[in-house]
Amino acid sequence: MFATYLLWGSIFYTAINIPYGSMASLISPEADDRAALSTFRSLGSVVANIAVGIGAPAILYASDTAGNQIVKGELFPIVALVFSILSIASYLVCYFMTTERVKAAPAENVKQVGFLETVRTLVTNRALIGIVVASICILAAQILNQSINQYLFIDYFKDKSGVMVMNAVSMLPGIILAPVAVPLSRKFGKKELGIFGSLSGAIACFLLFIMRTKSMWTYIIINVIGFLGFGVFNLIMWAFITDIIDDQEIRTGSREDGTVYAVYSFARKLGQAVAGGLGGWALGWIGFDSAAQVQTEAVVQGIYNIATLIPAVLYLIVGLSLIFIYPLGKKKVLENIEILKAKQSAN
């Protein structure tokens, strides 16, 4: 299990994900198409999360007559095998039905760039730095919420069912907003939507922190309303990378789809690693006692603070990074697209 997990997560998944993710900038040069590709990718992720997070547990877990949970261990390999077969089928369909329409320059016209030169251009790329900061903070906030919610609903709201309700309704913004993601990005621009969405999430979390509500349903409803704005940003986030790839080509004269996406992917992995430990560290800071049946009032209030204040600050940082660091607003993106279309025609 240890060996296969490392092979899957650290080698094979990365080897597939980097070309798959960077391919979006080659499927179409149009901003709307790229926003649509990002939207369907994010929507596909929601569908997969429902299947794995809700469907699989319904098969793998059961309860006996006394209400004790039974784990059907013998079914885990079978469920994993089914998902593996489905993933292979999906990759094959993607391979045979995808057309790269943005043609690369002839090999003899491509300037060979050394590793150090590539690093220098990437670390001076404001757009890439801005989206990396935003993505790390988004991942930290979302993973922290997921890990801390089980403690929040059990110890603060005293309702274990709240975790399942929260997990289910958290998927609603993505599903509801999917049909309007492309029209909104066309009208307002991706950066502009990202700023609005991240600040909406920050306001919702700050409001909950100030309210200190004891109502589980009030907490859930404000979260959903606040993240309706943030939902569009999540849907089109992958399209930001296509804009950065275009901008990198205009700045340097070299098209580096895979390199830019790989840097972004690596930054997300760092964010996931940090976020994975953030929940545990935060619980340690407030004195959470895993052996205690009932936590002290100070710890309970600390759990609420972690679930609301830390995500609020992180979402605020996302908005500020887009405002002050990320330079690719709607006007600049459209200008870059026209420049590259003219270059493509000339080739």
Side-chain angles (χ1 to χ4, degrees):
M1 286 296 295
F2 182 80
T4 54
Y5 184 81
L6 285 179
L7 285 171
W8 167 75
S10 299
I11 299 175
F12 297 140
Y13 176 77
T14 301
I16 292 173
N17 192 47
I18 290 175
Y20 163 74
S22 59
M23 189 169 57
S25 61
L26 299 173
I27 291 177
S28 172
E30 302 296 336
D32 283 1
D33 293 339
R34 291 173 173 186
L37 286 167
S38 178
T39 299
F40 278 99
R41 174 176 178 168
S42 300
L43 193 59
S45 177
V46 171
V47 173
N49 281 330
I50 292 173
V52 175
I54 299 176
I59 298 171
L60 297 170
Y61 299 97
S63 297
D64 59 20
T65 54
N68 299 314
Q69 189 178 74
I70 300 172
V71 180
K72 302 176 183 179
E74 71 280 1
L75 293 181
F76 272 80
I78 298 173
V79 171
L81 178 61
V82 170
F83 283 135
S84 299
I85 293 171
L86 290 173
S87 70
I88 293 170
S90 298
Y91 280 123
L92 289 173
V93 169
C94 181
Y95 175 78
F96 286 111
M97 298 185 67
T98 299
T99 302
E100 295 185 8
R101 297 171 181 83
V102 179
K103 303 301 181 184
E108 60 271 14
N109 296 338
V110 176
K111 181 177 67 173
Q112 297 300 315
V113 180
F115 174 74
L116 293 179
E117 179 65 16
T118 299
V119 171
R120 187 189 68 80
T121 57
L122 290 174
V123 298
T124 57
N125 188 327
R126 278 184 58 199
L128 183 59
I129 293 171
I131 206 65
V132 162
V133 172
S135 295
I136 289 175
C137 290
I138 289 170
L139 283 168
Q142 291 178 335
I143 294 175
L144 176 65
N145 270 135
Q146 291 169 6
S147 62
I148 210 70
N149 273 345
Q150 58 182 320
Y151 302 99
L152 179 72
F153 286 102
I154 293 172
D155 294 307
Y156 185 84
F157 291 118
K158 311 296 183 183
D159 192 333
K160 296 180 180 179
S161 66
V163 180
M164 291 184 292
V165 174
M166 189 68 186
N167 288 340
V169 300
S170 64
M171 300 178 187
L172 289 178
I175 296 172
I176 293 170
L177 294 168
V180 298
V182 175
L184 287 175
S185 67
R186 181 192 307 128
K187 182 174 179 61
F188 299 105
K190 291 186 281 291
K191 172 183 176 177
E192 293 77 5
L193 282 178
I195 293 170
F196 172 77
S198 56
L199 294 182
S200 295
I203 291 170
C205 291
F206 274 124
L207 181 61
L208 287 169
F209 173 71
I210 295 169
M211 289 174 61
R212 310 203 72 79
T213 180
K214 287 290 185 178
S215 168
M216 180 185 81
W217 291 107
T218 300
Y219 179 86
I220 292 174
I221 290 169
I222 291 178
N223 259 300
V224 172
I225 293 174
F227 290 103
L228 277 173
F230 194 70
V232 179
F233 184 25
N234 266 341
L235 287 170
I236 62 173
M237 178 179 292
W238 299 104
F240 279 79
I241 303 305
T242 61
D243 295 338
I244 294 170
I245 290 169
D246 286 352
D247 190 62
Q248 177 81 352
E249 180 178 4
I250 291 171
R251 289 174 61 249
T252 66
S254 299
R255 190 162 188 88
E256 299 173 277
D257 305 73
T259 304
V260 171
Y261 188 87
V263 171
Y264 175 69
S265 178
F266 180 69
R268 284 179 62 88
K269 288 183 182 297
L270 287 178
Q272 288 170 329
V274 172
L278 186 58
W281 296 332
L283 288 173
W285 294 336
I286 62 173
F288 181 85
D289 185 0
S290 59
Q293 292 293 321
V294 179
Q295 302 297 323
T296 65
E297 181 61 22
V299 170
V300 171
Q301 294 301 319
I303 292 172
Y304 187 89
N305 293 340
I306 294 169
T308 54
L309 184 59
I310 296 179
V313 172
L314 289 170
Y315 287 129
L316 181 60
I317 294 172
V318 173
L320 293 176
S321 70
L322 291 176
I323 294 171
F324 295 108
I325 303 176
Y326 188 79
L328 303 181
K330 177 183 176 182
K331 182 179 178 181
K332 180 63 174 175
V333 168
L334 294 176
E335 287 176 357
N336 285 351
I337 288 173
E338 293 305 316
I339 291 171
L340 292 178
K341 279 184 179 179
K343 180 180 177 181
Q344 184 89 357
S345 299
N347 290 335

